[in-house]
Amino acid sequence: MTDLSGAIWRKSTRSGDNGGACVEVATNLPGVVAVRDSKDQAGPTLTFRPTIWSAFVSSVRDNALIH
């Protein structure tokens, strides 16, 4: 299990006022990117290797440009 006690969480700058239906991402931890539900900050957290997270974000960004 990854220690996330030093995580600095942030929401996307594109998150609007949608009643809290957002995810938060912490990218400041060495070797891991953490993702959690902003409404349930004490709940489960997903962790990814930075290269995997970067590929996911790039894929989402590329698909958004196509549609």
Side-chain angles (χ1 to χ4, degrees), residues 25-60:
V25 179
T27 57
N28 68 303
L29 302 168
V32 68
V33 174
V35 181
R36 70 180 181 186
D37 182 345
S38 63
K39 296 181 308 304
D40 187 12
Q41 295 178 350
T45 303
L46 300 173
T47 56
F48 303 91
R49 291 190 319 261
T51 54
I52 299 298
W53 181 253
S54 180
F56 169 73
V57 171
S58 293
S59 176
V60 170

